[in-house]
mmCIF file with all atom_site columns, all heavy atoms in Angstrom:
data_model
loop_
_atom_site.group_PDB
_atom_site.id
_atom_site.type_symbol
_atom_site.label_atom_id
_atom_site.label_alt_id
_atom_site.label_comp_id
_atom_site.label_asym_id
_atom_site.label_entity_id
_atom_site.label_seq_id
_atom_site.pdbx_PDB_ins_code
_atom_site.Cartn_x
_atom_site.Cartn_y
_atom_site.Cartn_z
_atom_site.occupancy
_atom_site.B_iso_or_equiv
_atom_site.pdbx_formal_charge
_atom_site.auth_seq_id
_atom_site.auth_comp_id
_atom_site.auth_asym_id
_atom_site.auth_atom_id
_atom_site.pdbx_PDB_model_num
ATOM 1   N N   . ASP A 1 45 ? -14.610 -3.427 -2.788 1.00 0.00 ? 45 ASP A N   1
ATOM 2   C CA  . ASP A 1 45 ? -14.734 -4.682 -1.926 1.00 0.00 ? 45 ASP A CA  1
ATOM 3   C C   . ASP A 1 45 ? -14.741 -4.360 -0.424 1.00 0.00 ? 45 ASP A C   1
ATOM 4   O O   . ASP A 1 45 ? -14.762 -5.313 0.352  1.00 0.00 ? 45 ASP A O   1
ATOM 5   C CB  . ASP A 1 45 ? -13.733 -5.718 -2.218 1.00 0.00 ? 45 ASP A CB  1
ATOM 6   C CG  . ASP A 1 45 ? -12.271 -5.260 -1.937 1.00 0.00 ? 45 ASP A CG  1
ATOM 7   O OD1 . ASP A 1 45 ? -12.095 -4.022 -1.513 1.00 0.00 ? 45 ASP A OD1 1
ATOM 8   O OD2 . ASP A 1 45 ? -11.393 -6.048 -2.020 1.00 0.00 ? 45 ASP A OD2 1
ATOM 9   N N   . GLY A 1 46 ? -14.826 -3.160 -0.123 1.00 0.00 ? 46 GLY A N   1
ATOM 10  C CA  . GLY A 1 46 ? -14.770 -2.747 1.261  1.00 0.00 ? 46 GLY A CA  1
ATOM 11  C C   . GLY A 1 46 ? -13.362 -2.748 1.915  1.00 0.00 ? 46 GLY A C   1
ATOM 12  O O   . GLY A 1 46 ? -13.324 -2.483 3.141  1.00 0.00 ? 46 GLY A O   1
ATOM 13  N N   . HIS A 1 47 ? -12.319 -2.956 1.127  1.00 0.00 ? 47 HIS A N   1
ATOM 14  C CA  . HIS A 1 47 ? -11.014 -2.931 1.579  1.00 0.00 ? 47 HIS A CA  1
ATOM 15  C C   . HIS A 1 47 ? -10.129 -2.059 0.589  1.00 0.00 ? 47 HIS A C   1
ATOM 16  O O   . HIS A 1 47 ? -10.381 -2.089 -0.636 1.00 0.00 ? 47 HIS A O   1
ATOM 17  C CB  . HIS A 1 47 ? -10.389 -4.343 1.580  1.00 0.00 ? 47 HIS A CB  1
ATOM 18  C CG  . HIS A 1 47 ? -11.059 -5.274 2.472  1.00 0.00 ? 47 HIS A CG  1
ATOM 19  N ND1 . HIS A 1 47 ? -11.965 -6.189 1.988  1.00 0.00 ? 47 HIS A ND1 1
ATOM 20  C CD2 . HIS A 1 47 ? -10.949 -5.472 3.831  1.00 0.00 ? 47 HIS A CD2 1
ATOM 21  C CE1 . HIS A 1 47 ? -12.428 -6.912 2.969  1.00 0.00 ? 47 HIS A CE1 1
ATOM 22  N NE2 . HIS A 1 47 ? -11.831 -6.573 4.173  1.00 0.00 ? 47 HIS A NE2 1
ATOM 23  N N   . ILE A 1 48 ? -9.204  -1.419 1.125  1.00 0.00 ? 48 ILE A N   1
ATOM 24  C CA  . ILE A 1 48 ? -8.227  -0.632 0.326  1.00 0.00 ? 48 ILE A CA  1
ATOM 25  C C   . ILE A 1 48 ? -6.892  -1.317 0.441  1.00 0.00 ? 48 ILE A C   1
ATOM 26  O O   . ILE A 1 48 ? -6.258  -1.356 1.477  1.00 0.00 ? 48 ILE A O   1
ATOM 27  C CB  . ILE A 1 48 ? -8.120  0.886  0.751  1.00 0.00 ? 48 ILE A CB  1
ATOM 28  C CG1 . ILE A 1 48 ? -9.522  1.556  0.544  1.00 0.00 ? 48 ILE A CG1 1
ATOM 29  C CG2 . ILE A 1 48 ? -6.988  1.545  0.009  1.00 0.00 ? 48 ILE A CG2 1
ATOM 30  C CD1 . ILE A 1 48 ? -9.535  3.005  1.074  1.00 0.00 ? 48 ILE A CD1 1
ATOM 31  N N   . SER A 1 49 ? -6.474  -1.917 -0.713 1.00 0.00 ? 49 SER A N   1
ATOM 32  C CA  . SER A 1 49 ? -5.217  -2.609 -0.806 1.00 0.00 ? 49 SER A CA  1
ATOM 33  C C   . SER A 1 49 ? -4.126  -1.490 -0.980 1.00 0.00 ? 49 SER A C   1
ATOM 34  O O   . SER A 1 49 ? -4.460  -0.235 -1.191 1.00 0.00 ? 49 SER A O   1
ATOM 35  C CB  . SER A 1 49 ? -5.193  -3.528 -2.030 1.00 0.00 ? 49 SER A CB  1
ATOM 36  O OG  . SER A 1 49 ? -5.224  -2.695 -3.181 1.00 0.00 ? 49 SER A OG  1
ATOM 37  N N   . TRP A 1 50 ? -2.877  -1.952 -0.776 1.00 0.00 ? 50 TRP A N   1
ATOM 38  C CA  . TRP A 1 50 ? -1.745  -1.011 -0.994 1.00 0.00 ? 50 TRP A CA  1
ATOM 39  C C   . TRP A 1 50 ? -1.877  -0.407 -2.350 1.00 0.00 ? 50 TRP A C   1
ATOM 40  O O   . TRP A 1 50 ? -1.689  0.847  -2.525 1.00 0.00 ? 50 TRP A O   1
ATOM 41  C CB  . TRP A 1 50 ? -0.454  -1.679 -0.786 1.00 0.00 ? 50 TRP A CB  1
ATOM 42  C CG  . TRP A 1 50 ? 0.744   -0.935 -1.392 1.00 0.00 ? 50 TRP A CG  1
ATOM 43  C CD1 . TRP A 1 50 ? 1.459   -1.386 -2.420 1.00 0.00 ? 50 TRP A CD1 1
ATOM 44  C CD2 . TRP A 1 50 ? 1.178   0.325  -1.163 1.00 0.00 ? 50 TRP A CD2 1
ATOM 45  N NE1 . TRP A 1 50 ? 2.418   -0.461 -2.748 1.00 0.00 ? 50 TRP A NE1 1
ATOM 46  C CE2 . TRP A 1 50 ? 2.255   0.632  -2.008 1.00 0.00 ? 50 TRP A CE2 1
ATOM 47  C CE3 . TRP A 1 50 ? 0.790   1.311  -0.249 1.00 0.00 ? 50 TRP A CE3 1
ATOM 48  C CZ2 . TRP A 1 50 ? 2.939   1.863  -2.024 1.00 0.00 ? 50 TRP A CZ2 1
ATOM 49  C CZ3 . TRP A 1 50 ? 1.464   2.536  -0.265 1.00 0.00 ? 50 TRP A CZ3 1
ATOM 50  C CH2 . TRP A 1 50 ? 2.462   2.785  -1.155 1.00 0.00 ? 50 TRP A CH2 1
ATOM 51  N N   . ASP A 1 51 ? -2.089  -1.172 -3.431 1.00 0.00 ? 51 ASP A N   1
ATOM 52  C CA  . ASP A 1 51 ? -2.213  -0.658 -4.814 1.00 0.00 ? 51 ASP A CA  1
ATOM 53  C C   . ASP A 1 51 ? -3.253  0.444  -4.959 1.00 0.00 ? 51 ASP A C   1
ATOM 54  O O   . ASP A 1 51 ? -3.090  1.417  -5.488 1.00 0.00 ? 51 ASP A O   1
ATOM 55  C CB  . ASP A 1 51 ? -2.293  -1.734 -5.882 1.00 0.00 ? 51 ASP A CB  1
ATOM 56  C CG  . ASP A 1 51 ? -0.983  -2.538 -5.963 1.00 0.00 ? 51 ASP A CG  1
ATOM 57  O OD1 . ASP A 1 51 ? 0.094   -1.866 -5.840 1.00 0.00 ? 51 ASP A OD1 1
ATOM 58  O OD2 . ASP A 1 51 ? -1.058  -3.717 -6.319 1.00 0.00 ? 51 ASP A OD2 1
ATOM 59  N N   . GLU A 1 52 ? -4.450  0.154  -4.384 1.00 0.00 ? 52 GLU A N   1
ATOM 60  C CA  . GLU A 1 52 ? -5.554  1.052  -4.456 1.00 0.00 ? 52 GLU A CA  1
ATOM 61  C C   . GLU A 1 52 ? -5.191  2.279  -3.627 1.00 0.00 ? 52 GLU A C   1
ATOM 62  O O   . GLU A 1 52 ? -5.494  3.395  -4.110 1.00 0.00 ? 52 GLU A O   1
ATOM 63  C CB  . GLU A 1 52 ? -6.839  0.384  -3.813 1.00 0.00 ? 52 GLU A CB  1
ATOM 64  C CG  . GLU A 1 52 ? -7.476  -0.619 -4.683 1.00 0.00 ? 52 GLU A CG  1
ATOM 65  C CD  . GLU A 1 52 ? -8.675  -1.321 -4.001 1.00 0.00 ? 52 GLU A CD  1
ATOM 66  O OE1 . GLU A 1 52 ? -8.496  -1.617 -2.778 1.00 0.00 ? 52 GLU A OE1 1
ATOM 67  O OE2 . GLU A 1 52 ? -9.635  -1.606 -4.699 1.00 0.00 ? 52 GLU A OE2 1
ATOM 68  N N   . PHE A 1 53 ? -4.615  2.229  -2.505 1.00 0.00 ? 53 PHE A N   1
ATOM 69  C CA  . PHE A 1 53 ? -4.164  3.364  -1.727 1.00 0.00 ? 53 PHE A CA  1
ATOM 70  C C   . PHE A 1 53 ? -3.252  4.176  -2.524 1.00 0.00 ? 53 PHE A C   1
ATOM 71  O O   . PHE A 1 53 ? -3.357  5.382  -2.629 1.00 0.00 ? 53 PHE A O   1
ATOM 72  C CB  . PHE A 1 53 ? -3.506  2.845  -0.432 1.00 0.00 ? 53 PHE A CB  1
ATOM 73  C CG  . PHE A 1 53 ? -3.112  3.976  0.474  1.00 0.00 ? 53 PHE A CG  1
ATOM 74  C CD1 . PHE A 1 53 ? -4.120  4.508  1.393  1.00 0.00 ? 53 PHE A CD1 1
ATOM 75  C CD2 . PHE A 1 53 ? -1.848  4.504  0.608  1.00 0.00 ? 53 PHE A CD2 1
ATOM 76  C CE1 . PHE A 1 53 ? -3.760  5.526  2.296  1.00 0.00 ? 53 PHE A CE1 1
ATOM 77  C CE2 . PHE A 1 53 ? -1.536  5.536  1.406  1.00 0.00 ? 53 PHE A CE2 1
ATOM 78  C CZ  . PHE A 1 53 ? -2.424  5.988  2.268  1.00 0.00 ? 53 PHE A CZ  1
ATOM 79  N N   . ARG A 1 54 ? -2.118  3.528  -3.069 1.00 0.00 ? 54 ARG A N   1
ATOM 80  C CA  . ARG A 1 54 ? -1.124  4.335  -3.812 1.00 0.00 ? 54 ARG A CA  1
ATOM 81  C C   . ARG A 1 54 ? -1.735  5.097  -5.023 1.00 0.00 ? 54 ARG A C   1
ATOM 82  O O   . ARG A 1 54 ? -1.452  6.238  -5.187 1.00 0.00 ? 54 ARG A O   1
ATOM 83  C CB  . ARG A 1 54 ? 0.013   3.322  -4.254 1.00 0.00 ? 54 ARG A CB  1
ATOM 84  C CG  . ARG A 1 54 ? 1.063   3.968  -5.032 1.00 0.00 ? 54 ARG A CG  1
ATOM 85  C CD  . ARG A 1 54 ? 2.130   2.898  -5.484 1.00 0.00 ? 54 ARG A CD  1
ATOM 86  N NE  . ARG A 1 54 ? 1.584   1.683  -6.141 1.00 0.00 ? 54 ARG A NE  1
ATOM 87  C CZ  . ARG A 1 54 ? 1.172   1.708  -7.451 1.00 0.00 ? 54 ARG A CZ  1
ATOM 88  N NH1 . ARG A 1 54 ? 1.221   2.758  -8.156 1.00 0.00 ? 54 ARG A NH1 1
ATOM 89  N NH2 . ARG A 1 54 ? 0.613   0.636  -7.923 1.00 0.00 ? 54 ARG A NH2 1
ATOM 90  N N   . VAL A 1 55 ? -2.494  4.397  -5.853 1.00 0.00 ? 55 VAL A N   1
ATOM 91  C CA  . VAL A 1 55 ? -3.105  4.980  -6.979 1.00 0.00 ? 55 VAL A CA  1
ATOM 92  C C   . VAL A 1 55 ? -4.128  5.995  -6.562 1.00 0.00 ? 55 VAL A C   1
ATOM 93  O O   . VAL A 1 55 ? -4.167  7.106  -7.116 1.00 0.00 ? 55 VAL A O   1
ATOM 94  C CB  . VAL A 1 55 ? -3.653  3.908  -7.871 1.00 0.00 ? 55 VAL A CB  1
ATOM 95  C CG1 . VAL A 1 55 ? -4.450  4.438  -9.068 1.00 0.00 ? 55 VAL A CG1 1
ATOM 96  C CG2 . VAL A 1 55 ? -2.589  2.948  -8.463 1.00 0.00 ? 55 VAL A CG2 1
ATOM 97  N N   . GLY A 1 56 ? -5.031  5.709  -5.744 1.00 0.00 ? 56 GLY A N   1
ATOM 98  C CA  . GLY A 1 56 ? -6.091  6.617  -5.294 1.00 0.00 ? 56 GLY A CA  1
ATOM 99  C C   . GLY A 1 56 ? -5.698  7.823  -4.665 1.00 0.00 ? 56 GLY A C   1
ATOM 100 O O   . GLY A 1 56 ? -6.129  8.984  -4.977 1.00 0.00 ? 56 GLY A O   1
#
Side-chain angles (χ1 to χ4, degrees):
D45 66 354
H47 300 97
I48 296 177
S49 68
W50 159 244
D51 286 332
E52 287 173 320
F53 184 85
R54 181 181 49 78
V55 170

